[in-house]
C-alpha cells in the first residue's frame, strides 16, 4: 500500500498570467504582457508553430487576413511587423465593393481616406510566426506547446489545500498551472470558455466561406474587391508573390449547398466559376488552388470576464468575415486587456480582480457588438430580393460613392483608424 508521501505529487507551476490558445490573438497578448515584465504561460494544443523562414511557400496559404493599419501599428509596437514585411505582406490602397444584382458600386482609396494604405493582406501563418518569434525564448514566457487541457479549477475548490488568489489549470499529463489571471484565447469553440460556464449567443448565418487562392489574367493593382452576388459576398483579396501581382485570395461566403457544389468542382472548373461570378473584373482565372470550407456562425459571449478569468479574440466573439474584422477586433481586445492588467500589476494592485477585468470588458464590448450587428445588417440588406430594398441599396451605394466626407468616415471605421489603439501601444 502506498502512503501519501510515496505518491509523486503533481508539481504546481505558478505564473502571473496563463493564456490558453496560441493563435494570433493569444500570442499577441502573451507578447504584450511579457514585454511589460509579467511572467506568462502560453498553453497551445498544437505543436510549436513554423518559424518565419518556413512560414511561406511559393503559393500563398489559403488562410489570410486583411489587417488594418491599427493592427499594423500594434504589430509594429510588438516588434513583429518588420519581420512580417520582410517575409510577405501585400498592401492595398484601393477597395471596390459592388452589387452584382444592380448598378450600385462604391470605391474607396487610401488618398481619399488620407492614409498611406487601407490595409495589408497577410497569410495568418506569417503573422503567427512573427508573433511567436517575439515570445518563444523570451525570458518571461513559458510555452506549453502540444498541451491538452483537462480541467479549470477555481479558487473556491483548489486542487490542493494551499489557499491562493487565482485559479488552476490542470493539463492532461497531470501538471498544474496556477495564476491570478487565466485568459481564454482558444478560438471560436473555446473549451476553456465552456469550462468557465460562460454562455454564448449564437447566430447561424446559414453560410459557409469557401476559401482558395487563384491567379488572374490581370494584375490586382493593389485593390481589394468584393461583389455581392445574390447576398453572397465574393472577395478577391490582393496577394503579391515575389513581384507577381496576379494572385488573389478568395473568400466566397455562400449557402452551405452552394459551398458543397463549389468544393466538388475540379480546380479548373472552380477557377472558371469564380472568374465568371466576379464578372471577369480581373480577367480569367488562370490557376486555382484547392477549396477549403468554413461554416459561418456569429457568436458573442454573454460575459467577457469573471474573477481571475477573461476571454479574448474569437473565444469572446466570432464574426462574419465579409468585412475582414475578426482578428483585428481580437488584437484590440489583447491591447486593451494588456493595458488594464499591466496598469494594475505595475501599481501592485490585484490584476485578476473583477473590477480590473470589467474595465476591459466595458472598453471592448461596444465595438465588438457594433461590428457583429453591422455584419448581420449587411447580410439582410444584401440577401434581400425585395425590389425596393434592391433599389435602395443600389441607390445608396452609388449615392454614397459621391459623398467623399461620408466615405471618409466609413473608411476610418474600416481601417480601424478611430484612435482606439490604447495609449500604452502607441
Ligand atoms: C474565411 C475566413 C476569413 C477571414 N478573414 C479575416 C480577415 O480578412 N481579417 C480579419 O481580421 N479576420 C478574418 N477572419 C477571422 C480570423 O481568422 C479570426 O478572427 C482569428 O483567426 C481569431 O484568432 P484567435 O487567435 O482569437 O483564434 P484562433 O485563430 O482560432 O486560435 C485559437 C488557438 O487556440 C488553440 N486551442 C484551441 N483549443 C485549445 C485548447 N483546449 N488548449 C490549448 N489550445 C487550444 C488552437 O490550436 C489555436 O491555435 C476570417 C475568418 C474566416 C473563417
Amino acid at each position: 500500500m502506498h502512503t501519501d508521501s510515496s505518491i509523486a505529487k503533481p508539481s504546481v507551476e505558478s505564473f502571473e498570467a496563463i493564456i490558453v490558445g496560441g493563435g494570433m490573438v493569444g500570442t499577441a497578448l502573451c507578447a504584450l504582457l511579457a514585454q511589460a515584465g509579467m511572467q506568462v504561460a502560453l498553453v497551445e494544443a498544437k505543436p510549436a508553430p513554423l518559424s518565419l523562414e518556413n512560414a511561406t511557400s511559393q503559393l500563398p496559404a489559403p488562410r489570410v487576413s486583411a489587417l488594418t493599419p491599427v493592427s499594423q501599428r500594434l504589430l509594429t509596437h510588438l516588434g513583429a511587423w518588420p519581420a512580417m514585411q520582410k517575409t510577405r505582406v501585400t498592401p492595398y490602397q484601393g477597395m471596390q465593393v459592388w452589387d452584382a444584382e444592380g448598378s450600385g458600386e462604391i470605391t474607396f482609396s487610401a488618398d481619399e481616406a488620407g492614409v498611406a494604405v487601407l490595409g495589408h493582406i497577410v497569410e495568418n501563418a506569417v503573422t503567427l510566426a512573427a508573433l511567436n518569434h517575439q515570445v518563444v525564448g523570451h525570458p518571461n514566457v513559458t510555452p506549453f506547446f502540444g498541451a491538452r487541457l483537462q480541467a479549470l479549477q477555481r479558487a473556491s475548490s483548489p486542487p490542493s489545500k494551499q489557499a491562493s488568489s487565482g485559479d488552476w489549470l490542470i493539463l492532461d499529463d497531470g501538471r498544474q498551472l496556477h495564476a491570478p489571471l487565466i485568459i481564454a484565447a482558444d478560438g471560436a469553440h473555446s473549451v476553456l470558455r465552456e469550462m468557465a460556464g460562460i454562455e454564448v449567443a449564437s447566430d447561424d448565418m446559414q453560410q459557409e466561406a469557401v476559401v482558395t487562392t487563384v491567379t488572374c489574367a490581370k494584375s490586382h493593382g493593389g485593390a481589394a474587391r468584393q461583389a455581392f452576388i445574390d447576398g453572397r459576398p465574393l472577395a478577391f483579396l490582393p496577394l503579391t508573390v515575389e513581384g507577381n501581382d496576379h494572385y488573389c485570395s478568395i473568400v466566397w461566403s455562400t449557402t452551405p449547398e452552394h459551398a458543397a457544389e463549389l468544393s466538388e468542382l475540379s480546380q479548373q472548373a472552380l477557377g472558371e466559376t469564380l472568374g465568371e461570378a466576379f464578372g471577369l473584373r480581373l480577367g480569367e482565372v488562370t490557376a486555382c488552388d484547392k477549396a477549403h470550407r468554413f461554416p459561418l456562425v456569429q457568436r458573442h459571449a454573454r460575459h467577457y470576464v469573471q474573477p481571475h478569468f477573461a476571454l479574448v479574440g474569437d473565444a469572446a466573439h466570432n464574426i462574419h468575415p465579409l468585412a475582414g474584422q475578426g482578428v483585428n477586433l481580437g488584437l484590440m481586445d489583447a491591447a486593451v486587456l494588456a493595458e488594464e492588467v499591466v496598469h494594475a500589476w505595475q501599481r501592485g494592485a490585484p490584476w485578476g480582480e473583477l473590477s480590473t477585468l470589467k474595465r476591459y470588458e466595458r472598453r471592448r464590448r461596444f465595438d465588438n457588438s457594433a461590428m457583429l450587428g453591422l455584419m448581420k445588417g449587411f447580410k439582410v440588406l444584401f440577401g434581400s430580393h425585395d425590389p425596393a430594398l434592391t433599389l435602395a441599396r443600389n441607390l445608396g451605394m452609388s449615392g454614397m460613392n459621391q459623398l467623399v466626407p461620408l466615405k471618409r468616415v466609413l473608411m476610418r471605421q474600416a481601417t480601424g483608424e478611430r484612435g482606439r489603439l490604447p495609449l500604452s501601444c502607441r
Side-chain angles (χ1 to χ4, degrees), residues 20-26 43-46 63-66 124 147 149 185-188 191 209 211 251 294 296 312-315 321 324-328:
V20 177
M24 293 181 279
V25 175
V43 178
E44 165 58 44
K46 292 189 198 132
R63 293 301 307 273
V64 306
S65 296
N124 292 355
L149 282 192
D186 51 344
V191 170
V211 171
V251 183
F294 300 90
L296 298 178
V312 287
D314 274 23
Q325 288 296 323
V327 77
N328 292 296

Side-chain angles (χ1 to χ4, degrees), residues 139-399:
N140 296 341
V141 177
T142 307
F144 294 83
F145 289 120
R148 305 214 145 266
L149 282 192
Q150 196 178 71
L152 167 69
Q153 233 146 356
R154 313 312 294 260
S156 50
S157 54
S160 55
K161 282 201 183 106
Q162 79 243 60
S164 170
S165 115
D167 294 329
W168 285 260
L169 270 185
I170 318 293
L171 304 184
D172 69 353
D173 59 6
R175 277 180 297 181
Q176 297 178 5
L177 314 183
H178 173 266
L181 175 60
I182 296 181
I183 300 149
D186 51 344
H189 303 283
S190 171
V191 170
L192 192 52
R193 179 185 65 208
E194 217 170 276
M195 288 175 174
I198 298 182
E199 289 182 2
V200 286
S202 295
D203 186 1
D204 186 345
M205 302 295 270
Q206 285 151 358
Q207 285 193 334
E208 284 187 18
V210 175
V211 171
T212 188
T213 308
V214 297
T215 316
C216 299
K218 294 186 191 165
S219 142
H220 55 62
R225 298 173 175 84
Q226 182 152 262
F228 282 86
I229 304 160
D230 204 10
R232 297 166 295 152
L234 169 58
F236 273 51
L237 305 173
L239 287 169
T240 301
V241 179
E242 290 167 10
N244 180 346
D245 58 4
H246 290 241
Y247 287 99
C248 283
S249 176
I250 304 296
V251 183
W252 197 351
S253 305
T254 185
T255 60
E257 299 75 30
H258 187 223
E261 278 168 32
L262 290 173
S263 61
E264 277 159 24
L265 294 176
S266 68
Q267 285 173 226
Q268 189 185 339
L270 177 61
E272 283 164 12
T273 306
L274 290 169
E276 275 160 30
F278 210 57
L280 299 179
R281 289 230 180 176
L282 293 178
E284 288 187 352
V285 167
T286 52
C288 180
D289 197 9
K290 282 197 301 258
H292 303 263
R293 286 163 64 185
F294 300 90
L296 298 178
V297 177
Q298 290 210 138
R299 297 181 186 85
H300 203 183
R302 299 217 187 266
H303 310 281
Y304 289 4
V305 298
Q306 292 176 337
H308 309 293
F309 190 85
L311 303 173
V312 287
D314 274 23
H317 45 77
N318 201 204
I319 188 165
H320 193 292
L322 83 88
Q325 288 296 323
V327 77
N328 292 296
L329 294 175
L331 289 172
M332 287 311 107
D333 294 349
V336 171
L337 179 60
E339 183 170 79
E340 292 295 347
V341 166
V342 168
H343 188 221
W345 175 79
Q346 280 171 339
R347 42 174 230 278
W351 58 94
E353 249 187 16
L354 194 57
S355 56
T356 303
L357 301 178
K358 277 273 180 203
R359 276 199 293 278
Y360 150 68
E361 177 167 27
R362 278 197 295 275
R363 287 174 66 188
R364 289 304 303 150
R365 198 172 178 90
F366 178 78
D367 269 11
N368 294 336
S369 294
M371 196 56 81
L372 284 156
L374 195 62
M375 294 310 102
K376 179 86 181 156
F378 265 122
K379 181 161 183 286
V380 172
L381 181 64
F382 283 91
S384 174
H385 295 287
D386 180 328
L389 264 186
T390 310
L391 180 65
R393 75 181 177 231
N394 276 288
L395 290 175
M397 274 178 127
S398 304

